[in-house]
Amino acid sequence: MPAPVLCQSCGAGRAALRRPKTGRALCRACFVAAFEAEVHGTIVSARLFQPGETVAVGASGGKDSTVLAHLLRLLNERHGYGLRLLLLSIDEGIAGYRDDSLEAVRRNRGRLGLPLHVLSYQELYGWSMDRIARHVGPKNNCTFCGVFRRQALDRGAALLGADKIATGHNADDVAETVLMNFLRGDVGRLRRCAGILTGGEGTLPRCKPLKHAYEKEIVLYAYFQGLDYFSTECVYAPNAYRGHTRTLLKDLEAVRPSAVADLVHSGERLAVREDVRMPTQGICQRCGYLSSQPLCKACVLLEGLNRGLPRLGIGKPSRLQKALTGAEKPEAGFQEDSEQSSNAVRTIDF
Amino acid sequence: MKCKEGPPVLIIRVGDAFCKACFKDYFVHKFRATLGKNRCIFPGEKVLLAFSGGPASSAMVRQVQEGLSRDAAKKLRFKPGIVFVDEGAVCGQDLGKRREVHSQVEMILRATGFPFHLVHLEEVFDLPGSILRSISHNATDDSQSYKEAVDGFIRRQQQQQSERTGDSLPGQLSELSVRCPPGKEAVEVPGPLSVSHTAELTHLFRAVKTLTAKEELLQTLRNHLILHVARTNGYTKVMMGDSCTRVAVKLLANLCLGRGAFLAGDTGFSDSRHGDVLVLRPMREYSAKEIAFYNRLFGVPAVFTPSLDTKVRGAALHRSSPPVPAAQIQRPCSPPPPAPGRPPHYPLISFLYKLQSEFPATISTVYRTGEKLGTTPRDAGGDAEPERCLLCLCHLDTSVVDGSSLQSTLLSEELCRKPPPSAGSGCCGGAPNETGCCRSSPTAGAVPSQAVLFPLLCYSCRLTVKDMTCLEPLPPYVHSEAERRQRRAAMKQEIQEFLLEDDLPAS
Ligand SMILES: [Zn+2]
Ligand SMILES: [Zn+2]
Ligand SMILES: [Zn+2]
Ligand SMILES: [Zn+2]
C-alpha cells in the first residue's frame, strides 16, 4: 500500500485532490476553505457589493448557479456583507428541460432558505421556447434562447426590485467567451466580456463572483459540499463555434493547465486601438434595455415572431430593424418589404 | 480574370482568377504597397531580412530582390541584408546534417547577391546584456556608445551620399559592396562551432519541461540573436516573414499564452519594443496559400529546417509556420490539412483549420480582430512608463489590479502553500525575502531563483520560466541584465524619498 499523500497546505490531513488551479495536493477541508476564501477575496477586492443591496442570483439549477447561491449565502453570513439575497429562475418553457432543473432549484431553495422567484418566457415575452422552436426550427433556437435569457434576468430582477444581478459565470466561461469574441472579431464585446462587474446606466449592474473559479473546482466544491445540481446542457444543439471553442479550451488545458486563467488575463489586458469605432451603446426605443441599435435584439426577434416572420431578426440588423424604427411606416409598405426579405432569408449567413 | 489574355492558373478567392503574369504583378505590387502605406523605411537605410528557410521568408527575400531590380521609379531604395539562424542544435540535428543545411542556405543566400549573416543559435551565450534593453533614439547614457556609433555612422553615410552623389569614395566602398556582391566583408559565415556552447544550449533546453515553453524560449533567444546581428551591423530595421495565416495563428496562440496586452506588438506591421531597431512584418497581408503558389510558380527555393516538435514528444501550443503541404497546391480552394509526418496534436492549428473549413472567413476575421488592437495599456497605473519584461521586452502587464485574474491566481497559490517551505528552487526555497540568502551573494555565478526573476518578467514569460526545472542554464546575458536591474531597483529603493520624478531613464 503506498503511503497516503499529505495535504500540502496543512501538512496534516490526507490529500483528497489535486487542485486544477494550482496543481497542489490538498485535503478536503483545506480545499473547501481555500475555495471559499478565494471567492470572498474576489468579492472584496473587486468591490462587487455594497451593504444593504438586494442581489438577485440567477438560478438555473446548474452547477455554477447552485454553487454561487450556496457561497453567497454562506459568505454573506460569515463576513457580514449585509446583502438581501433572492433566487431568480427563468422558465424558458422547454418541456423536460426546465421541469427537472427547476425542481433542483426548488430543492436548493429549501436548503438555502432564500426566497425563490420563477418567471417564465411566457410571462415575460408571451412566447415559450417550445412554441418558438416550432416556428423557427431547431437550428436558430439558441439565438432566441440566449437573447431572451440575457434580458429575462434583467427584466425579472427589475421586477423584483433588485439592485444587482449575480451570475454564475466561471473562469472557463469567460475564457471561452474571450476566444469566441476574438474569433468573431467582436471587439466591443471582447472588451466587456472579461469585466467582472458590468452594466449600469439603464440596466442593472451584473457581477460574476465566480469569475476566477475553474469549472472543475466548482464541481469539486459541489461534490465535497454535497450540493445537488442538474446538468443544464441545452437540449437544442449548441452552436458549432461554441462547441469547437470548448473542445479547444480542453485541449489547451491539457497542454498548459493554467490556460483558462491565462486567457482571462489576456482578456483583461487586451487594448483596443483608440481609433477603432465602437458600437455606441444606446437604449432600446421600445423596452429600455441596453442596445447598440435603435431596437434591442429581443424586441426585433419578438417583432419577427409576432408578425409571423420569425427568422427576420436573425443575422445582420438590416431591413427589419430599419422597417421597425422607420417611425410609423404604413403597415402595407412593411408587408411588401418583408415579402421581399423573406425571400432573402435563405441567403442570410448565420 | 484580370487580363483577357493569359490562361488562368489559379484562383485566390472565388471569382478572382489570375494568369501567371497577373499573379506576379499582384504579388509584387502588394509588397511594395504594404511598405509604401506604412512609410517607415528611409532611403539608404539598412534592413535585415530574417530568413528561416520557410516559404514566407523565402518569398519575402524574393520580393526585395524584385523590388531592387525594378526600374528606377518603382525601385525600393533600402539596403538589404539577410540573417539566418541555425537552430540545428535544439532540433536534434547532428553536425553533418547541420553542415548540409548550412551549405544549402549559404548557396541560396549567395545567389541573392545580398550581404548575409549565418549565425548559430549557440551564439546567444556570447550576447551582451544590453540586448535586453530598449534603446531609445535620444538616449544619453554612456553605455549606449555603440548605438551612438551606429547612428553616427549612418548619419555620416547619409551626409556623404547627399554631398557627393555618384562618387565612389573609400567611405562608400563598404556600402557599395552591399549592392555589388560578393563583397567579402559583406558576408558573414560563422567560425567553427563552439562545442561547449552546443552542450550548454542542449542543457538549457533540457531544463525546459514543456514543448510550449521550449518554443517560447527558442523564439525569444532567436529574436535576441537577430537583434544583435542588426545592432552590430548597423541595420535599423528587421523584416520578419510572418504571413497572414501565421499572424492569425500567432494572435490566437499568444492570446492563449496570456499575451493579450502584447498582441499588437507581437503581430502588427511594426514593432518598436527594442527602440533603435524596428521590427517589420511586410508579409502579413499574404495568405500561406498565396505564398505557396508564388513560390511554386516562380521557383522560389525553400530549405526544410525542422522545428522543435519533430524531435520532442508531447503537445505544444504551436509556433512554427503553419504547414502547407504540396498536395494543397493543386487544390487551392480547400484549407490545408495538417501536414503528414507532423504530430497532429497542435490544438490551435487543427482548431483553426477545422473552423476555417466550416467558416471560410475564420482566419481573415482573426487577422482583422488583431488589426483593431493597440498597445496602450488599459490600466496605466501612474504616469511612469512601466518597466519592460526582461525576456520579451514588452511593458510589464503584471501590476496586480483589484479583482483581476492575476490577483486571484496569486491568492490561490498563497492559500495552497502554507507551512512546510518546500525545498524547491533556490537555496532559500524561493522565499521572496529581499534580504534572504538568495540575495546575499549577488555576484556573477549566483543562481537566481524563480522568485528573484519573476518581478522582471511579464505574465507570459513567467509561465515559460515556471516550466523550467532550474534557471542556471540560461545564457549569461540574461543573468547579468537581471542582476543589473535588481541593483538598480535596490538603488532606487534607497533614494526613493529624494526623487521628484518617478521615471528615470533606467536603461
Ligand atoms: Zn489540509
Ligand atoms: Zn427592446
Ligand atoms: Zn492576366
Ligand atoms: Zn515577457
Side-chain angles (χ1 to χ4, degrees), chain A residues 55-75:
Chain A
V55 178
V57 183
S60 66
K63 60 179 182 314
D64 300 317
S65 67
T66 303
V67 167
L68 176 66
H70 168 87
L71 276 172
L72 284 183
R73 192 199 57 92
L74 182 90
L75 298 173

Side-chain angles (χ1 to χ4, degrees), chain A residues 262 265-266 268-269, chain B residues 257-262 377-381 386-390 392 394-402 404-410 453-463 466 485:
Chain A
D262 301 344
H265 174 81
S266 273
E268 289 172 352
R269 295 282 175 161
Chain B
L257 290 171
R259 297 187 62 83
F262 313 136
R378 212 198 293 171
D379 57 289
E387 293 265 356
R388 287 180 185 273
C389 171
L390 181 70
C392 72
C394 288
H395 289 299
L396 288 185
D397 59 345
T398 48
S399 59
V400 181
V401 179
D402 276 341
S404 65
S405 178
L406 177 60
Q407 188 187 44
S408 165
T409 305
L410 293 176
L453 216 49
F454 264 27
L456 306 176
L457 299 174
C458 74
Y459 181 93
S460 187
C461 289
R462 285 181 185 183
L463 298 176
K466 249 186 215 166
R485 289 201 194 181

